[in-house]
């Protein structure tokens, strides 16, 4: 139904259009609906956005034309976009500063564990028609099955105490914190040290605050970063099988090799758990971006399957290390009152970039081959290194209230 390349730059029958539809939905979710997590709370939006995605995916699985598939992929993408923003804001607010990086890294490990499952399902099911239903439809339905677990997960998820405080719900915030402290004391078998008082953020403030000092510089820095990091991250992860086919690997083998590469998806953030709170977040992003550029160029020059998979694994680990690090970093740089909206705004630029970079990569693949694609990725990573390395503030070991001032 979708070809690997498009006859025209903005073709709607190529793989690029499906990838672009995903990011169009993410753009709408992050830019237009991230305010819901600041207004209605992290917990309820976390639940509703995931249910939205699952329902839209089920409908998409039964569409028979490319335009209808694209429409429902956009709708599903809206739910993903809101979910990602909400998770970033929630984790940053709930976890102590000494563990913040490790918490985000562990969360990424869990998220990326899904990728090998999807890759395996694609490898085994796409060529088949179980029960008369196309294999790709089964892959989509398996992904949508996560909604079944939402109702169980949500019962054990407390609301963010910081969000409760900014909305004047002090008694509820106290109950949540007391329950968390009691659980930790029970696990440690010892009382917690006395709490250290910190100056609270302002409870109210308009979204426009992110365009005023001290947040304006951070907003601009993260906007530039998000525009360019997407080219490197999704330029590879969303195009692995297609890039391998273009390199001369058969379709069946490319899916097999893609599965082997996808198995490494959790390894990057799993390794990051060991240094997540030891080194500055900005330098983790910079080093990861350099590795993406180097390993990408090496990948482009490989034809031997062993080295192709090896470079793919190294590239995937670097991508996912950068992903964990910037999700942590961008959620630390803004105050609680507008955290979800701010993260949604800067993150939405990566979604907008991904829409056009999908077509751009399809164009480069058609006219310049795999080497041209990774040349583009390397140039984008240079922009990432410069934006974060020069303008990014430090956050390691600092409370959110200190960072936001």
């Amino acid at each position: 139904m979708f070809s690997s390349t498009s006859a025209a730059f903005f073709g709607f029958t190529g793989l690029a259009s499906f990838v672009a539809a995903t990011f169009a939905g993410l753009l709408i979710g992050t830019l237009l609906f991230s305010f819901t997590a600041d207004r209605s709370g992290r917990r309820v939006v976390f639940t509703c956005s995931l249910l939205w995605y699952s329902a839209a995916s089920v409908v998409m699985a039964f569409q028979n034309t490319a335009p209808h598939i694209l429409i429902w992929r956009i709708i599903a993408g809206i739910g993903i976009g809101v979910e990602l923003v909400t998770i970033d804001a929630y984790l940053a607010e709930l976890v102590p500063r000494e563990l913040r990086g490790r918490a985000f890294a562990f969360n990424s490990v869990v998220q990326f564990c899904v990728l090998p499952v999807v890759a395996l399902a694609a490898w085994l099911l796409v060529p088949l028609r179980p029960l008369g239903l196309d294999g790709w439809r089964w892959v989509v339905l398996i992904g949508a099955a996560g909604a079944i677990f939402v109702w169980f997960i949500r019962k054990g998820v407390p609301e963010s105490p910081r969000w409760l405080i900014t909305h004047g719900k002090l008694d509820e915030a106290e109950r949540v914190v007391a329950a968390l402290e009691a659980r930790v004391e029970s696990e440690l078998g010892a009382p917690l040290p006395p709490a250290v008082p910190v100056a609270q953020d302002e409870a109210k403030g308009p979204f426009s605050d992110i365009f005023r000092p001290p947040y304006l510089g951070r907003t601009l820095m993260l906007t530039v970063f998000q525009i360019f990091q997407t080219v490197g991250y999704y330029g590879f992860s969303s195009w692995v099988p297609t890039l391998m086919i273009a390199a001369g690997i058969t379709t069946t083998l490319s899916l097999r090799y893609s599965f082997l590469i996808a198995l490494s998806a959790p390894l990057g953030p799993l390794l990051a758990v060991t240094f997540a709170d030891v080194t500055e977040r900005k330098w983790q992003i910079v080093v990861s971006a350099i590795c993406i550029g180097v390993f990408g160029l090496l990948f482009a020059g490989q034809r031997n399957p062993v080295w192709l998979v090896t470079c793919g694994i190294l590239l995937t680990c670097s991508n996912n290390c950068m992903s964990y690090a910037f999700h942590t970093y961008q959620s630390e740089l803004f105050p609680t009152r507008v955290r979800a909206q701010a993260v949604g705004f800067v993150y939405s630029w990566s979604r907008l970039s991904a829409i056009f970079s999908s077509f751009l990569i399809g164009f480069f693949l058609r006219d310049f081959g795999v080497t041209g694609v990774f040349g583009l990725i390397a140039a984008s990573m240079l922009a990432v290194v410069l934006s974060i390395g020069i303008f990014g503030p430090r956050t390691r070991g600092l409370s959110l209230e200190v960072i936001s001032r």
Side-chain angles (χ1 to χ4, degrees):
M1 196 171 294
F2 292 98
S3 60
S4 60
T5 60
S6 301
F9 186 84
F10 285 107
F12 290 97
T13 58
L15 175 64
S17 63
F18 182 79
V19 177
T22 302
F23 291 113
L26 286 165
L27 172 64
I28 296 170
T30 55
L31 184 60
L32 300 184
F33 294 102
S34 59
F35 75 91
T36 57
D38 282 333
R39 179 175 298 178
S40 302
R42 317 310 193 199
R43 184 174 182 271
V44 66
V45 174
F46 165 82
T47 303
C48 292
S49 59
L50 190 53
L51 291 176
W52 173 292
Y53 162 75
S54 297
S57 294
V58 170
V59 176
M60 185 188 75
F62 294 98
Q63 302 305 307
N64 296 308
T65 65
H68 287 100
I69 291 174
L70 296 179
I71 289 171
W72 282 101
R73 186 59 177 174
I74 291 173
I75 295 172
I78 294 173
I80 302 173
V82 177
E83 182 78 2
L84 291 174
V85 169
T86 305
I87 289 174
D88 283 0
Y90 182 75
L91 273 181
E93 294 168 0
L94 195 65
V95 179
R97 59 187 176 186
E98 298 85 1
L99 302 174
R100 195 182 304 134
R102 277 169 282 180
F104 271 87
F106 182 76
N107 177 66
S108 294
V109 171
V110 175
Q111 290 180 340
F112 289 130
C113 278
V114 177
L115 297 183
V117 176
V118 174
L120 177 61
W123 175 25
L124 297 178
L125 294 175
V126 167
L128 307 176
R129 299 187 78 250
L131 302 179
L133 198 63
D134 293 331
W136 71 266
R137 302 181 193 274
W138 283 105
V139 175
V140 174
L141 290 172
I142 291 171
I148 298 174
F149 303 99
V150 174
W151 294 105
F152 299 99
I153 295 173
R154 70 185 181 89
K155 294 180 181 179
V157 176
E159 183 54 86
S160 162
R162 280 185 167 90
W163 182 86
L164 291 170
I165 291 171
T166 61
H167 287 74
K169 301 180 180 182
L170 303 182
D171 291 339
E172 188 175 349
E174 176 61 32
R175 287 196 297 270
V176 170
V177 172
L180 290 172
E181 290 177 340
R183 185 183 304 176
V184 173
E185 287 181 344
S186 175
E187 293 175 355
L188 295 177
L192 295 175
V196 178
V198 296
Q200 292 294 322
D201 287 334
E202 296 178 23
K204 302 294 182 181
F207 169 66
S208 59
D209 278 356
I210 72 170
F211 302 109
R212 302 188 183 101
Y215 308 117
L216 175 60
R218 301 175 185 186
T219 301
L220 294 176
M221 178 266 296
L222 287 172
T223 296
V224 172
F225 163 76
Q226 291 291 1
I227 288 172
F228 286 100
Q229 68 85 11
T230 307
V231 178
Y233 188 90
Y234 290 103
F236 179 72
S237 62
S238 296
W239 287 78
V240 177
T242 306
L243 291 170
M244 286 192 171
I245 292 171
I249 307 298
T250 64
T251 300
T252 302
L253 285 177
S254 72
L255 289 173
R256 183 182 303 171
Y257 296 156
S258 297
F259 168 63
L260 293 176
I261 292 173
L263 282 174
S264 68
L267 295 182
L270 185 61
L271 177 63
V273 171
T274 62
F275 58 79
D277 294 299
V278 177
T279 58
E280 278 293 340
R281 218 88 64 201
K282 61 179 289 184
W283 298 124
Q284 294 178 39
I285 296 172
V286 166
V287 172
S288 297
I290 293 172
C291 290
I292 291 168
V294 172
F295 294 139
L297 292 174
L298 290 175
F299 182 95
Q302 303 304 319
R303 292 298 179 269
N304 181 287
V306 174
W307 286 109
L308 200 65
V309 171
T310 299
C311 290
I313 289 173
L314 292 172
L315 186 51
T316 298
C317 289
S318 302
N319 263 328
N320 293 346
C321 267
M322 184 177 71
S323 175
Y324 124 77
F326 85 69
H327 276 284
T328 314
Y329 194 56
Q330 67 184 8
S331 66
E332 295 174 311
L333 298 183
F334 299 99
T336 300
R337 64 182 182 272
V338 292
R339 178 165 290 115
Q341 295 176 80
V343 170
F345 176 79
V346 297
Y347 199 38
S348 69
W349 286 95
S350 72
R351 311 303 88 179
L352 181 63
S353 171
I355 295 171
F356 291 99
S357 65
S358 298
F359 293 104
L360 186 62
I361 288 171
F363 169 76
F364 266 71
L365 183 59
R366 185 191 68 187
D367 290 2
F368 303 102
V370 177
T371 302
V373 169
F374 283 102
L376 173 66
I377 288 174
S380 300
M381 290 303 99
L382 177 60
V384 166
V385 169
L386 295 176
S387 61
I388 297 293
I390 296 174
F391 301 104
R394 72 181 190 91
T395 62
R396 186 178 71 88
L398 302 177
S399 70
L400 296 179
E401 288 75 19
V402 172
I403 297 171
S404 67
R405 296 187 185 283

